[in-house]
Amino acid sequence: MLFYLILLFVGAILYLYVEITKKYGTFKAIGVPEYNPKFPLGSPNHWKLATGITEIYKRLNFINSVDEVYDAFPNEKLVAHFQGGSPQLVVRDMELAKLVLIKDFDHFVDRRGLELTEETEAQKAMGLMLTMLKGDQWKAIRNTLSPVFTSGKLKGMTPIINKLGQDLVKHLEPLARSGEEFEAKQSMVNFTTDVIAECGFGINAQAMLNPDSVFKQNVMKLSGGPKGSIMGMIRFVMILFLNPLARMLKIKIMNEESLNYFIKVIRQTMATRKESKTRRNDLIDLILDALKDDSQDPKPVEDAQFEKDAQIEVNTPFQSIPEEELELYIVSNAFILFFAGLETSSTIMAVCSVFLATHPDVQERLHLEIQDAIDDHGSQDLPYERIHSLPYLDMVVNETLRHFPLAIMERQCVKDYKFPGYDFVVPAGMLVQVPSPAIMKDAKYFPDPLRFNPENFNEENKAKRSPYAFLAFGQGPRNCIGMRFALLQVKIAIIRLLANYEILRSPKTNDQFRPSPKSPSGQPINGTFIRIAKR
Ligand code: HEM
């Protein structure tokens, strides 16, 4: 019996070995270098990603998981690496990246294909979110939601965010008085929760002023807290690497109880809005407007190149969504706009505060620019145009985003594709990556890339490099839909912070930022600790 068991075991290992390694070497043979794959986990970066969660091997966060592939082949345009037996292609060249992200986007419409269980409504809702949707369904929802973030709509939201900026100053007052060290991320999550609850759903979440806010508690459960957790990361890596097994074991990405809470809140808000026929010009109203207004006519496009590059060529009508599923689509996407904006924006605000604490010269110059604008306007409630006309603020925020990117660009090839100058075909189904974190730390585009230097974004230096080398919000039709909203709330938070407080180092202030391997959303490994003093 034991003999047969051993035989079965050896047979299974042999089978796995042959299956997993059968594509190793196939790229090398056609002139595309491979990043040293080894049975069973593949290339070294995947070994680190998969085993790093237990901290027994070198640690790596998913966001940086392709950096070393990029760095190891400085003279190549394309490199292959293997996740187990699945090859993935890394694009190392700006012109090829533009083809994938923009020009030949039709071949690269989707993101990584994660299959989620659809057993509960919350799980089904996750599969309908813009970040997850594919093909025509994604195009239809993206087309519908894009007009929600035009500059005209954001101008309307600015007074609301300014008012919450005043609450942020109040929220921070006790910390300024005591001079104690605190985690900037936590305060910024409270601020963004209030901003998105108010601008999104017309809800006064009181995350800043009421420590017992139910809305805030659910946000905390959803995001897994400021540092993430080992269990959270294990779940995430399983969903990524062992998707069928994760489905079998019913492993979930998000806390279902909290997700249900938000689904309920959004449903109730929509129902009340329809019944009372009142308007608040928040996200819910704008989504409902966008749905009513759905037509084949081209949607208005903003002037900036980022938005022009994001246009979807074929205007897929919203009617392609089945009627009976429409409501869940709306709820899911109202939710993802809330959630995608919350973690990202609050992290950037917190990381920016730390950079200002560790670079007092930058802080001083930025404070002068902000104070001048406030003196000139006569109030801290700066209007939309004025906020975006502060050049040094823009440079500081962009440099923060360059240093601490929150996502890697991935596209799944949906139609066979041939890169110009290469003889092989990228088959439908293969994952193609544009490793934004590595590109934004490449000295070719940003000299002395590890130094925090807002001058990287002055007009002269911007003109010297490809505009596509700054990838903090992605590029092309699948770029970040909320970029303008994000920049608005981040800038308002920094304006309020500097107008009222000096940001100081504290014993735990961290000079070197690295995303924690325990945090799927890439939170800084040593936190974002600072002190503040009243100006
Ligand atoms: C500083 C804050 C933010 C950063 C750094 C950020 C970054 C990103 C990045 C890198 C992507 C992927 C782009 C690509 O693959 O080309 C993305 C996608 C996305 N972002 Fe953001 N984001 C931020 C804030 C926001 C906000 C405020 C919202 C919503 C209000 C939002 C909603 C989304 C959505 C829905 C997607 C998926 C778009 C799609 O698949 O069509 N993000 N974001």
Side-chain angles (χ1 to χ4, degrees):
M1 180 67 181
L2 185 65
F3 171 76
Y4 288 110
L5 277 178
I6 293 172
L7 203 64
L8 196 69
F9 179 73
V10 172
I13 296 286
L14 270 177
Y15 172 77
L16 277 179
Y17 181 83
V18 171
E19 269 304 300
I20 287 179
T21 59
K22 70 182 175 198
K23 289 192 182 146
Y24 292 0
T26 53
F27 284 84
K28 230 188 214 163
I30 51 171
V32 176
E34 287 176 9
Y35 189 44
N36 205 15
K38 295 254 169 12
F39 174 79
L41 294 180
S43 296
N45 53 322
H46 291 285
W47 281 84
K48 290 176 194 169
L49 186 64
T51 56
I53 44 169
T54 56
E55 307 191 16
I56 51 172
Y57 202 73
K58 243 181 152 177
R59 304 193 285 176
L60 204 60
N61 184 289
F62 175 69
I63 292 168
N64 294 109
S65 63
V66 184
D67 288 10
E68 63 187 60
V69 185
Y70 182 92
D71 293 340
F73 299 90
N75 301 318
E76 301 291 337
K77 292 184 174 181
L78 286 178
V79 182
H81 62 120
F82 286 80
Q83 178 183 312
S86 307
Q88 302 176 350
L89 261 189
V90 172
V91 178
R92 291 196 79 271
D93 171 80
M94 253 337 107
E95 289 309 310
L96 297 189
K98 260 165 79 178
L99 295 178
V100 172
L101 297 174
I102 303 166
K103 207 158 163 279
D104 294 328
F105 174 74
D106 230 33
H107 290 259
F108 300 100
V109 179
D110 296 343
R111 290 223 174 79
R112 189 187 284 255
L114 287 183
E115 300 297 324
L116 301 169
T117 122
E118 285 193 3
E119 287 199 346
T120 58
E121 189 183 45
Q123 291 305 309
K124 195 156 184 235
M126 278 204 64
L128 301 184
M129 292 172 192
L130 198 61
T131 39
M132 297 283 211
L133 283 175
K134 296 184 166 203
D136 282 350
Q137 285 188 328
W138 168 78
K139 284 185 186 168
I141 296 290
R142 175 89 192 198
N143 261 336
T144 308
L145 294 181
S146 297
V148 168
F149 294 104
T150 58
S151 41
K153 307 270 168 53
L154 293 177
K155 269 181 210 164
M157 294 180 192
T158 305
I160 304 175
I161 310 180
N162 265 327
K163 152 80 189 57
L164 292 165
Q166 294 169 17
D167 289 353
L168 176 65
V169 175
K170 271 191 230 144
H171 175 56
L172 294 173
E173 238 164 43
L175 294 164
R177 243 182 282 124
S178 69
E180 69 192 91
E181 174 174 65
F182 66 100
E183 173 85 85
K185 165 76 188 194
Q186 190 48 58
S187 302
M188 296 308 179
V189 167
N190 293 342
F191 172 68
T192 31
T193 300
D194 282 348
V195 168
I196 305 183
E198 187 85 47
C199 292
F201 314 123
I203 291 170
N204 182 356
Q206 295 221 319
M208 284 187 281
L209 302 180
N210 172 8
D212 301 323
S213 153
V214 181
F215 203 94
K216 170 174 154 179
Q217 281 163 12
N218 278 290
V219 165
M220 293 311 296
K221 275 196 235 156
L222 211 54
S223 65
K227 295 200 184 73
S229 68
I230 293 257
M231 277 321 289
M233 198 60 187
I234 289 176
R235 279 201 300 272
F236 181 68
V237 169
M238 277 195 73
I239 290 169
L240 217 62
F241 275 81
L242 303 167
N243 200 247
L245 182 64
R247 267 166 73 91
M248 228 167 70
L249 298 175
K250 303 192 171 89
I251 290 177
K252 300 177 178 123
I253 298 185
M254 281 184 193
N255 179 308
E256 200 157 316
E257 199 190 321
S258 310
L259 192 54
N260 278 327
Y261 167 82
F262 289 110
I263 289 178
K264 205 168 115 202
V265 168
I266 297 167
R267 277 222 162 97
Q268 274 170 358
T269 313
M270 277 170 39
T272 320
R273 215 54 75 78
K274 274 188 195 156
E275 226 171 79
S276 64
K277 300 209 166 54
T278 49
R279 278 188 71 82
R280 288 190 54 110
N281 277 329
D282 56 14
L283 198 70
I284 297 276
D285 276 341
L286 297 175
I287 291 181
L288 291 172
D289 286 353
L291 290 178
K292 267 189 262 150
D293 191 25
D294 189 62
S295 67
Q296 296 276 23
D297 298 338
K299 303 275 193 266
V301 181
E302 301 277 331
D303 274 350
Q305 192 61 40
F306 186 77
E307 268 94 12
K308 285 187 186 149
D309 286 337
Q311 261 192 297
I312 301 167
E313 270 170 21
V314 185
N315 203 354
T316 312
F318 194 74
Q319 282 77 3
S320 59
I321 306 289
E323 179 78 33
E324 63 282 8
E325 289 182 15
L326 203 59
E327 199 207 27
L328 196 56
Y329 268 87
I330 301 170
V331 172
S332 309
N333 285 289
F335 169 79
I336 193 60
L337 292 182
F338 167 72
F339 187 65
L342 183 87
E343 272 294 273
T344 47
S345 309
S346 55
T347 302
I348 293 304
M349 290 167 197
V351 170
C352 187
S353 321
V354 176
F355 275 129
L356 293 173
T358 52
H359 296 77
D361 51 330
V362 174
Q363 181 174 174
E364 191 45 35
R365 183 171 157 194
L366 183 56
H367 174 240
L368 283 178
E369 182 182 77
I370 289 171
Q371 200 51 54
D372 273 357
I374 291 172
D375 292 345
D376 189 41
H377 180 66
S379 141
Q380 293 187 8
D381 294 345
L382 297 181
Y384 181 81
E385 292 81 0
R386 196 68 211 254
I387 293 165
H388 287 301
S389 70
L390 300 175
Y392 199 57
L393 178 59
D394 200 55
M395 287 158 64
V396 169
V397 170
N398 283 343
E399 180 66 352
T400 306
L401 287 158
R402 179 183 81 78
H403 268 271
F404 204 74
L406 294 164
I408 163 179
M409 251 102 277
E410 289 194 333
R411 302 290 183 264
Q412 191 156 33
C413 181
V414 292
K415 283 190 268 178
D416 289 1
Y417 184 73
K418 232 172 118 307
F419 278 104
Y422 285 86
D423 258 351
F424 72 100
V425 170
V426 180
M430 187 184 274
L431 201 66
V432 177
Q433 291 151 325
V434 180
S436 40
I439 293 173
M440 292 196 288
K441 297 264 167 59
D442 187 336
K444 198 158 70 178
Y445 307 114
F446 300 94
D448 195 3
L450 298 183
R451 186 160 78 91
F452 180 78
N453 177 19
E455 295 307 324
N456 279 319
F457 290 89
N458 67 27
E459 290 306 321
E460 191 191 337
N461 287 333
K462 271 199 299 193
K464 284 187 199 154
R465 62 171 180 263
S466 161
Y468 297 95
F470 179 59
L471 288 161
F473 291 101
Q475 283 290 352
R478 203 126 200 190
N479 67 12
C480 175
I481 196 172
M483 179 189 77
R484 285 163 171 272
F485 181 67
L487 289 175
L488 181 63
Q489 55 170 343
V490 169
K491 286 181 177 179
I492 289 181
I494 303 295
I495 289 171
R496 292 289 168 171
L497 204 56
L498 284 201
N500 296 280
Y501 303 111
E502 187 182 357
I503 310 176
L504 302 164
R505 267 182 182 279
S506 69
K508 282 201 254 167
T509 298
N510 175 25
D511 276 321
Q512 296 300 316
F513 282 112
R514 199 156 70 87
S516 163
K518 285 192 285 182
S519 164
S521 64
Q523 295 305 304
I525 197 164
N526 293 320
T528 50
F529 291 92
I530 51 167
R531 282 188 309 119
I532 52 170
K534 189 114 192 84
R535 281 199 192 269

